[in-house]
Amino acid sequence: MMHQEAENERGLRLRSVMRICNRKTRQICVVSALCLIALPIRAQNLPGKTITKVSDKQISALSDEKALADQRRAFAISLVISLTNEARSYFDLALRCRILARAADVVWSSDSVTGQALFRRAWDAAEKGDAEDVTIKTKDNPPDMVIALRRMSGRDLRSEVLSMVARRDRALSEEFLTKLKNSIDSEKEDSKSALRSGDGWSTSPLLSKRLQVANDLLNEGEVERALDFAAPALNQVNASSIAFLSALRPKNAEAADQRFLLLLARAELDPLSDANTVSGLSSYAFSPGFYVTFSTDGSAIWSPGEYVNPPNLPPAIRKQFFEAAGSILLRPLPPADQDFTSSGRVGKSKVIRRLLPLFDLYAPDTATALRAQVAALSGNSLTDTANRESPLLTQGIKPEDNAETVMEKMQDRLNHAKTARERDEICAAAAVTLVTKSDLRAREVADRIDDSDRRAEVRQYVDFEIVRQTIRKKEAAEATRLARTGQLTHTQRAWAYTQAAGLLLDSQRERALEFLEEAIDEARRIDGSASDRALLLIGIAKQLIMADRDRAWQIMAEAVRAANTTEGFTGEDALIFSVATRSGFKFTTIGGQDFGFSLVFRSLANDDLNRSIDLAKSFKNDAPRAAATLAIAGALLEKQVANNRTQ
């Protein structure tokens, strides 16, 4: 009954909007027609002008087109407003916040006033959600350290809202940041603590969120906006600020280098700078993506990502780095009982040993002095003497082993292995390393694993990585051959066929459609994971949109049925494949644009609006139903904005 009343209310509101829209449209049309009629009269006295007459039929066509555009806009906004009212009843506070923020983003270009109001509602919901830790409390009951790291990362609901607001309204985003600052009782104390510690890792919650938002803007191509937003947080050396500058450099090297030079100058003058400050600065200069700091007992914290190729810094900037780094590292050693630096004597020794190969290459005179410093540190009983060959002392500094070296080291370790399990793990690690280098010997190495389950796990990971590499090379035929012959799951095969089809849709349509049918068959064979099946069917429908729309509608209906059998399906889920090695887990994550949930509904809305709305409503879960509705509304509003630009 309540649902029926809600539907009636929605219909009433929509008809009201339509009536208003039609009334306004008629007024606009009358004025436009009068102007068109009057124009020739005023122009008659202008010599040399050719008058173009406008017929009643043309005026009527223009009026109808304008009326239709206004109705489309009114309908889209009505859809969004109805959805946001529905979101008030969502039990999931995180979903409520995200839908309100995305709704604001969708309507912004057409109605910024409504968009700003929705952003404010989203912020209120985010504050409530963060207060209750809805993004941190999970079924697995993580330990306090994990919770602390999640908070420190800046990934909470307010950060998500800020990222969207920052793209649209800088003033509003700063207003929200001010609210956030006021709501963090320990903000100033946290900031002082982070500054005193000098560990090069921590930063205040407010600055973490600012840099997270800036990174999101950077990832979306908003380079200038990202830099402007990040500026207040770029005055300290820490993992977040260096990571931002490293990500900025490929997009705007000059701006990134200027900020880096400012950090260098500040660090050299700061008496609190220590070895970890230098280690952090070296990440930007030589190992972007890999950031490591050492504690007083020699243990380390490092970024989980893999580093990328070092930037080609101008010689003058590289010289300034070594001058500043040498100045900090060669400061006189305080007595052991008065050393309050974040690295301590042990950590400082490790930082110097890590960077010495670089000093040998670019600043040999300073390298000689640093060796004397290490010798002085080594004379202390606290100095670490174990694990001298730790990978952390060379990662990002020493070039990675090539495939031949990997094979040689594997054989050497196998010769000294004492158990079958140890040999299996040596082969597993080597196979995973080799496949990252596109070396097909990874398969042979994986097949040397004795344990059948472990062998199958590693071989499956290796085969899928080879398929992904083939797709990146745009070799559709080879990718499908590997999909058929490799030791893959139905999920992996379905993805491979779908991606191969996408490579051929323009040039070999019939063959692409055959691959998509094979992908559908593989998706239907997936056991125990309706979520994977739904995601893959959505990805297949995305490819079919341009080639066979009727088939796309059929597959999307099947995808909805699969989604409705899965609790927690959002439409934005990802496929995650992993394998354990001696050095940790290796993950392969596939999602987002590979499935194109929103893109599919935008395309379907342009094909048949009413049918797309009915399909969106058929989702059982709130999240995919809301995401589909917003995609439909976005398609309507984008069409109007595009039409307005062409007029």
Side-chain angles (χ1 to χ4, degrees), residues 483-548:
R484 292 189 182 98
T485 60
Q487 296 183 23
L488 305 180
T489 65
H490 295 304
T491 297
Q492 292 169 333
R493 282 198 180 93
W495 179 85
Y497 288 135
T498 303
Q499 298 303 304
L503 296 174
L504 299 178
L505 275 173
D506 291 335
S507 59
Q508 302 179 51
R509 181 176 176 276
E510 292 303 320
R511 194 176 184 193
L513 290 174
E514 291 175 5
F515 288 160
L516 289 175
E517 290 302 322
E518 290 189 68
I520 293 168
D521 291 340
E522 289 293 336
R524 288 170 176 167
R525 295 188 183 106
I526 296 173
D527 295 325
S529 181
S531 175
D532 284 3
R533 185 162 59 252
L535 282 174
L536 288 162
L537 290 172
I538 290 168
I540 293 167
K542 184 188 79 168
Q543 303 285 15
L544 285 168
I545 287 291
M546 301 304 297
D548 189 341

Side-chain angles (χ1 to χ4, degrees), residues 400-455:
E400 284 189 329
D401 293 337
N402 58 31
E404 295 304 325
T405 304
V406 171
M407 293 293 290
E408 291 172 5
K409 288 186 175 180
M410 178 194 73
Q411 190 57 54
D412 180 63
R413 289 167 183 155
L414 287 173
N415 293 338
H416 294 86
K418 297 179 180 179
T419 66
R421 182 175 181 179
E422 186 178 354
R423 285 191 293 272
D424 283 354
E425 292 311 310
I426 291 170
C427 290
V432 171
T433 301
L434 287 170
V435 78
T436 62
K437 301 177 183 300
S438 302
D439 193 309
L440 296 181
R441 285 180 293 180
R443 285 174 166 175
E444 300 172 11
V445 173
D447 288 340
R448 294 174 64 176
I449 298 173
D450 289 333
D451 184 273
S452 59
D453 291 339
R454 183 65 166 144
R455 182 171 63 249

Side-chain angles (χ1 to χ4, degrees), residues 79-95:
L79 273 179
V80 173
I81 297 302
S82 178
L83 175 63
T84 58
N85 289 334
E86 178 186 313
R88 292 176 178 175
S89 64
Y90 290 169
F91 177 76
D92 186 338
L93 290 175
L95 178 61

